[in-house]
Amino acid sequence: MVTSRAAMASAQDEVPPLLPTPLEVRALQQPEKVVMRKNSLGRDKHEVLTDARVLILYTGGTFGMAPDAVGTLHPKSGFLEQKVKEMDEFKFGGMPKVTIIEWEDPIDSSDMSPADWGRIAQTIEEHYWDYDGFVVLQGTDTMAYTASALSFMLESLGKLVVISGAMIPLHFPHSDARRNLIMSVLCAASLEIPEVCIYSNDKLLRGNRTTKTFNMAVDAFHSPNHPVLALTGVETILEHGLILP
């Protein structure tokens, strides 16, 4: 086979394929593929994950608790942003860009009310077109209620809203908060799931089908009447057939 110089030059000028994103997605019983966010910011949908933007909203709860002068833990505004700046994971070149909004007076999960759900929904609405996905951090005791309420309040949702929390504060080295935060951000930035979900202990669950089943275990959330939407591990296994259209 003879190849012309023009054809060879054209081949040399071709742009090499982009590197895969940090979050590889494999559909169950389907060919392996990477699912990227919709073109919500007017960008080329083939751009890398580092161009994605995620808004993190911290409302309170165990996740961002910090000790006071006598060692008692309380939700503290400003603590989460400080910790994220210290985390090497968010300095990694493959991570999406994140913006953090923290309530000035973070609340315990037992104090979460319908008015607070409205406040969360309003924040998402105000910033909807500026970000590819959203992560809401709150206390775990009412997290399932928040996820269920938001799933009905955020009509015609076209982006992933991840509700997450922690059983152990981020302040402690053995906390589950660190991975929950990192994976929630990666899911919100890369998975094309247009609904409200809960992320906990490597599981992404449909928000209005999830309940807290354990108070003293990091594997605290389950969806008894609906399969898991995605499992995150060495790779992310996504149930494409269960995703809302």
Side-chain angles (χ1 to χ4, degrees), residues 1-236:
M1 177 179 177
V2 179
T3 305
S4 67
R5 290 186 178 181
M8 293 176 62
S10 176
Q12 291 175 353
D13 291 338
E14 289 182 358
V15 178
L18 294 173
L19 294 175
T21 66
L23 196 63
E24 296 290 338
V25 180
R26 180 170 61 82
L28 291 178
Q29 299 179 347
Q30 293 188 26
E32 187 170 323
K33 63 182 294 188
V34 177
V35 179
M36 298 298 294
R37 289 300 308 154
K38 291 182 178 179
N39 192 15
S40 57
L41 296 179
R43 296 194 309 264
D44 186 336
K45 65 179 180 180
H46 297 296
E47 285 185 305
V48 293
L49 189 58
T50 51
D51 292 318
R53 299 178 63 189
V54 175
L55 178 65
I56 301 173
L57 174 61
Y58 174 62
T59 67
T62 300
F63 196 102
M65 284 185 171
D68 59 17
V70 296
T72 304
L73 292 169
H74 301 280
K76 182 180 179 182
S77 182
F79 177 74
L80 177 63
E81 185 171 7
Q82 173 190 338
K83 295 296 288 186
V84 167
K85 288 180 179 178
E86 296 172 357
M87 291 172 64
D88 290 336
E89 291 88 344
F90 284 97
K91 300 173 185 177
F92 175 69
M95 286 293 286
K97 300 176 179 65
V98 298
T99 300
I100 300 173
I101 295 178
E102 300 186 57
W103 284 3
E104 291 185 6
D105 297 308
I107 61 174
D108 185 81
S109 60
S110 61
D111 295 323
M112 184 67 70
S113 68
D116 296 311
W117 298 335
R119 185 179 173 187
I120 294 170
Q122 184 176 6
T123 299
I124 293 173
E125 181 183 15
E126 290 174 352
H127 297 276
Y128 187 80
W129 296 110
D130 299 323
Y131 296 92
D132 294 284
F134 302 87
V135 174
V136 179
L137 301 175
Q138 72 151 82
T140 58
D141 285 346
T142 54
M143 202 160 76
Y145 297 100
T146 298
S148 184
L150 290 179
S151 72
F152 292 99
M153 296 173 73
L154 299 173
E155 296 182 352
S156 303
L157 189 64
K159 305 176 184 182
L160 178 56
V161 176
V162 182
I163 316 295
S164 192
M167 301 301 292
I168 307 168
L170 184 60
H171 171 74
F172 292 102
H174 63 296
S175 173
D176 57 324
R178 195 180 194 95
R179 180 164 177 82
N180 282 350
L181 175 60
I182 294 166
M183 296 310 299
S184 291
V185 168
L186 286 173
C187 287
S190 63
L191 296 184
E192 195 170 314
I193 302 178
E195 56 181 293
V196 178
C197 295
I198 282 179
Y199 183 88
S200 177
N201 197 43
D202 284 328
K203 298 192 298 288
L204 190 69
L205 307 163
R206 176 156 291 156
N208 55 23
R209 292 293 184 270
T210 303
T211 186
K212 185 179 180 181
T213 53
F214 296 104
N215 283 322
M216 299 300 292
V218 294
D219 190 19
F221 288 87
H222 296 85
S223 182
N225 298 316
H226 194 279
V228 174
L229 296 182
L231 292 171
T232 59
V234 176
E235 61 181 0
T236 293

